[in-house]
């Protein structure tokens, strides 16, 4: 990894902490839904709605190249079968990078499925899925993405559930060159989202609503091709820029193991039938 650090150190300088006092009016644009997405409470709350005619969505005004992103979500309550709430980072183009949280709705009383994926240079197929250890519709919970040059970590209320390491040395592409925006949407996917499409959306229960608050980003912001993290060769300050070299300590590794052993319900690295020519190379490291 020394060569990786050598390449990436010039990207690091004084970090501009983005949106420490979050306001959805300042940080995001509603991009679709014809009035179904709303910013409320003086910019402190955003809601997305879905009815039979349309869903809705928003995106960040900033583009990021590495960062630590937090958002609190409260998901569609009750019978949410057929609905998908997506919250992700993505770049543009045919060879895009993407880091995904997707919440797949279910019948009342059945658990949501939290679907995660990582795309690099347009290639995904790295799905891991989890149940949650709480009801994500009863209150807000924090869903976080740590993205630095060494790893991507997905966390829920501070508990890591997935780590995708930079294994370019093994020929595995890693998102590190393309700036990404934050996107979120609530949409109908009843052709696949719940039990493979067997359970359809009950439109008598519409509108369906997902809610967002307390966005926070410690990140490098790209503007006109320049990064807010600058281009000096100085190492980052240990406090404000700790996320840039953050890794999982022993306590968080234990939490990761706990979450995966008890709540992971699908792992592409265990799906031998899907990869008859052999599992992807990163699976040998997991």
């Amino acid at each position: 990894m020394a060569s990786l650090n050598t390449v990436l150190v010039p990207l690091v300088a004084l970090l501009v902490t983005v949106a420490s006092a979050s306001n959805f009016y300042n940080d995001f644009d509603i991009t679709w839904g014809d009035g179904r997405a709303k910013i409320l409470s003086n910019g402190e709350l955003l809601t997305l709605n879905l009815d039979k005619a349309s869903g809705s969505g928003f995106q960040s005004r900033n583009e990021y190249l590495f960062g630590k992103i937090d958002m609190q979500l409260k998901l569609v309550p009750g019978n949410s079968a057929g609905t998908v709430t997506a919250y992700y980072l993505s770049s543009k183009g045919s060879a895009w990078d993407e880091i995904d949280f997707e919440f797949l709705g279910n019948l009342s009383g059945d658990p949501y499925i939290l679907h995660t994926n990582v795309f690099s240079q347009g290639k995904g197929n790295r799905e891991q899925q989890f149940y949650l250890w709480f009801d994500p519709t009863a209150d807000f919970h924090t869903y976080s993405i740590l993205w630095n040059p060494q790893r991507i970590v997905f966390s829920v209320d501070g508990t890591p559930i997935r780590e995708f390491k930079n294994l370019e040395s093994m020929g595995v592409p890693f998102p590190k060159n393309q700036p990404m925006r934050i996107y979120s949407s609530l949409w109908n996917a009843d052709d696949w989202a719940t039990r493979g499409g067997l359970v359809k959306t009950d439109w008598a229960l519409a509108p369906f609503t997902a809610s967002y608050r307390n966005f926070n980003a410690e990140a490098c912001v790209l503007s006109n091709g320049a990064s807010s993290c600058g281009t000096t060769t100085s190492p980052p300050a240990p406090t404000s820029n700790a996320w840039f070299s953050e890794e999982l300590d022993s306590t968080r590794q234990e939490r990761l193991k706990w979450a995966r052993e008890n709540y992971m319900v699908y792992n592409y690295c265990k799906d031998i039938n899907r990869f008859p020519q052999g599992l992807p190379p990163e699976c040998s490291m997991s």
Side-chain angles (χ1 to χ4, degrees):
M1 299 299 290
S3 59
L4 173 67
N5 291 333
T6 301
V7 170
L8 289 166
V9 159
L11 292 175
V12 185
L14 295 177
L15 173 68
V16 174
T17 300
V18 180
S20 57
S22 169
N23 186 291
F24 283 105
Y25 284 119
N26 298 333
D27 299 326
F28 294 91
D29 290 315
I30 293 170
T31 48
W32 64 284
D34 195 24
R36 290 173 179 82
K38 296 180 172 65
I39 298 175
L40 306 167
S41 302
N42 297 315
E44 294 182 0
L45 178 70
L46 189 151
T47 60
L48 295 182
N49 286 276
L50 164 68
D51 58 32
K52 195 168 186 178
S54 178
S56 51
F58 64 90
Q59 70 179 43
S60 64
R61 294 185 174 180
N62 287 326
E63 289 185 297
Y64 306 98
L65 185 60
F66 305 123
K68 190 172 187 178
I69 311 293
D70 301 323
M71 184 81 82
Q72 289 193 330
L73 280 75
K74 183 164 68 172
L75 300 179
V76 174
N79 181 359
S80 58
T83 71
V84 172
T85 306
Y87 159 56
Y88 59 102
L89 288 161
S90 182
S91 64
K92 296 289 191 181
S94 59
W96 77 100
D97 294 340
E98 187 170 319
I99 304 169
D100 284 347
F101 279 115
E102 289 188 326
F103 303 89
L104 312 184
N106 217 331
L107 295 167
S108 298
D110 289 343
Y112 263 84
I113 291 175
L114 172 52
H115 174 102
T116 67
N117 204 351
V118 176
F119 288 75
S120 187
Q121 299 174 22
K123 181 182 181 299
N125 298 325
R126 300 185 179 104
E127 298 90 348
Q128 293 183 354
Q129 296 182 337
F130 303 82
Y131 288 149
L132 295 165
W133 48 94
F134 52 83
D135 178 358
T137 74
D139 203 350
F140 286 90
H141 293 268
T142 303
Y143 302 91
S144 305
I145 294 169
L146 168 66
W147 170 35
N148 67 30
Q150 292 81 33
R151 61 188 41 81
I152 295 164
V153 178
F154 298 78
S155 298
V156 178
D157 287 339
T159 293
I161 62 170
R162 177 176 185 179
E163 180 180 29
F164 184 82
K165 293 182 179 180
N166 185 332
L167 296 174
E168 289 181 302
S169 61
M170 297 175 59
V172 180
F174 185 85
K176 68 172 188 179
N177 296 316
Q178 300 186 61
M180 296 196 265
R181 294 187 192 273
I182 301 164
Y183 296 87
S184 191
S185 58
L186 174 59
W187 50 290
N188 177 47
D190 67 3
D191 56 337
W192 65 269
T194 305
R195 299 183 187 175
L198 294 177
V199 182
K200 301 301 183 182
T201 305
D202 184 352
W203 294 113
L205 302 174
F208 302 97
T209 303
S211 302
Y212 302 74
R213 71 180 189 189
N214 290 347
F215 165 70
N216 188 69
E218 299 175 66
C220 300
V221 176
L222 268 288
S223 180
N224 298 318
S227 170
S228 66
C229 291
T231 57
T232 78
T233 55
S234 302
T239 53
S240 63
N241 287 3
W243 62 267
F244 197 85
S245 57
E246 184 176 331
E247 56 188 65
L248 298 181
D249 60 19
S250 58
T251 299
R252 295 183 73 204
Q253 287 175 3
E254 283 299 311
R255 293 295 290 170
L256 175 69
K257 181 181 178 183
W258 170 83
R260 296 177 71 79
E261 288 181 350
N262 291 283
Y263 294 98
M264 187 162 63
V265 295
Y266 176 79
N267 182 359
Y268 76 108
C269 281
K270 304 295 185 183
D271 196 344
I272 297 173
N273 293 331
R274 184 178 172 190
F275 300 100
Q277 305 304 315
L279 293 170
E282 67 268 20
C283 295
S284 67
M285 302 294 291
S286 62

